[in-house]
């Protein structure tokens, strides 16, 4: 059983388009995250939600909008895609309330903006 | 920047040798975690060491933490080709946010 899943796995799109990436976790965790990994492998946190509430919002263009319909889902919508948005986006989850600080990562979504 | 910085950036060794990777950070931490990333995959948690611990073992992994020097090391003993991956340290300051760096790319040759 997949613990943290993301769809799609690959996303190739044109500049200016709007796209969404979906994430689901079946671990019962209370906190979910979005990370961006660039071509140099630097992994940077973008957002974090705890029980559907936004708790971390790093300096990310407002073209990126996370949405958490429930504790098990955290989606990422990107408007007006730019070339620099090309990267691998990882979703992760953890159980912060129980002080279980290990993060579980999804397989990533490889976004290529042409 | 408060990111964990791994050193070296890349490491190549033969199977059976030990691999040591180092991590430095800049702020007081609650704990420090190490993750592995195989090519094209997500990160997988390896081990967590708390700020009041100095050393921790898990199988062939040994992690040390020196809070006075703000540094940590990950030792993989008797390495295998399957250990080929990128290894990231993630210091966790007294907030709820891990801080990742760019990782050490380990290549283990058969």
């Amino acid at each position: 059983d997949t613990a943290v899943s993301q769809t799609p796995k690959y996303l190739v799109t044109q500049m200016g388009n709007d796209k969404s990436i979906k994430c689901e976790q079946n671990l019962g965790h209370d906190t979910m995250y979005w990370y961006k990994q660039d071509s140099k492998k630097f992994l940077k946190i973008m957002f974090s939600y705890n029980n559907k509430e936004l708790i971390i919002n790093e300096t990310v263009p407002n073209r990126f909008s996370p949405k958490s319909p429930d504790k098990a889902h955290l989606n990422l919508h990107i408007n007006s895609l730019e070339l620099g948005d090309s990267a691998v986006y990882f979703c992760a989850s953890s159980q912060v309330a129980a002080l279980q600080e290990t993060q579980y990562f999804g397989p990533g979504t490889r976004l290529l903006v042409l | 920047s408060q990111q964990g910085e791994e050193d070296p950036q890349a490491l190549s060794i033969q199977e059976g040798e030990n691999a040591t990777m180092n991590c430095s950070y800049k702020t007081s931490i609650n704990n420090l975690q190490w993750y592995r990333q195989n090519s094209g995959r997500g990160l997988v948690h390896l081990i967590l060491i708390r700020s009041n611990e100095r050393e921790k073992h898990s199988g062939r992994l040994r992690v040390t933490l020196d809070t006075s020097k703000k540094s940590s090391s990950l030792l993989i003993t008797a390495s295998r080709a399957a250990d080929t991956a990128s290894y990231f340290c993630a210091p966790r300051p007294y907030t709820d946010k891990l801080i990742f760096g760019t990782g050490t790319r380990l290549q283990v040759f058969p």
Side-chain angles (χ1 to χ4, degrees):
Chain A
D1 288 340
T2 305
V4 182
S5 59
Q6 295 178 227
T7 53
K9 194 168 181 180
Y10 299 95
L11 187 52
V12 181
T13 187
Q14 299 285 335
M15 269 176 54
N17 284 350
D18 303 338
K19 291 293 177 186
S20 291
I21 309 172
K22 295 186 175 181
C23 178
E24 177 180 2
Q25 54 96 3
N26 63 5
L27 298 166
H29 287 168
D30 59 7
T31 304
M32 296 183 73
Y33 311 82
W34 275 112
Y35 288 89
K36 179 181 179 181
Q37 188 173 44
D38 62 24
S39 57
K40 294 181 179 166
K41 302 297 183 186
F42 178 49
L43 191 68
K44 182 176 164 56
I45 191 166
M46 300 173 70
F47 302 103
S48 174
Y49 269 73
N50 178 270
N51 284 319
K52 299 187 342 180
E53 286 192 26
L54 181 65
I55 55 170
I56 294 175
N57 184 355
E58 292 296 292
T59 308
V60 175
N62 57 14
R63 299 182 294 104
F64 290 79
S65 52
K67 283 190 173 50
S68 182
D70 55 57
K71 247 175 52 167
H73 295 85
L74 180 61
N75 304 323
L76 183 65
H77 188 76
I78 315 171
N79 288 327
S80 303
L81 278 155
E82 300 178 356
L83 295 177
D85 297 332
S86 296
V88 184
Y89 293 83
F90 288 99
C91 177
S93 72
S94 65
Q95 183 61 12
V96 172
L99 300 180
Q100 298 297 318
E101 299 168 58
T102 298
Q103 292 193 12
Y104 292 79
F105 282 77
T109 294
R110 283 141 195 84
L111 171 65
L112 178 60
V113 182
L114 303 174
Chain B
S1 166
Q2 295 181 339
Q3 69 193 59
E5 295 182 6
E6 295 90 348
D7 172 66
Q9 288 189 326
L11 180 61
S12 295
I13 59 174
Q14 295 290 130
E15 255 189 337
E17 293 179 341
N18 295 341
T20 300
M21 287 158 267
N22 301 298
C23 170
S24 60
Y25 56 92
K26 297 180 181 177
T27 187
S28 295
I29 59 170
N30 176 277
N31 65 71
L32 185 143
Q33 302 178 36
W34 285 90
Y35 287 77
R36 183 185 73 215
Q37 183 180 32
N38 288 81
S39 181
R41 309 290 289 273
L43 277 73
V44 174
H45 181 262
L46 293 176
I47 198 165
L48 181 153
I49 187 165
R50 300 202 177 275
S51 59
N52 61 353
E53 297 176 307
R54 291 296 165 258
E55 189 170 310
K56 204 160 181 181
H57 296 253
S58 177
R60 294 183 296 112
L61 305 181
R62 174 177 158 245
V63 168
T64 62
L65 179 64
D66 186 336
T67 52
S68 65
K69 294 181 180 176
K70 292 189 169 53
S71 67
S72 174
S73 68
L74 170 67
L75 169 68
I76 305 175
T77 59
S79 63
R80 305 167 182 167
D83 295 329
T84 294
S86 291
Y87 292 81
F88 293 82
C89 74
R92 186 185 180 284
Y94 287 95
T95 63
D96 55 355
K97 182 173 75 174
L98 290 181
I99 303 171
F100 290 89
T102 53
T104 291
R105 280 171 285 288
L106 173 66
Q107 175 80 50
V108 182
F109 291 100

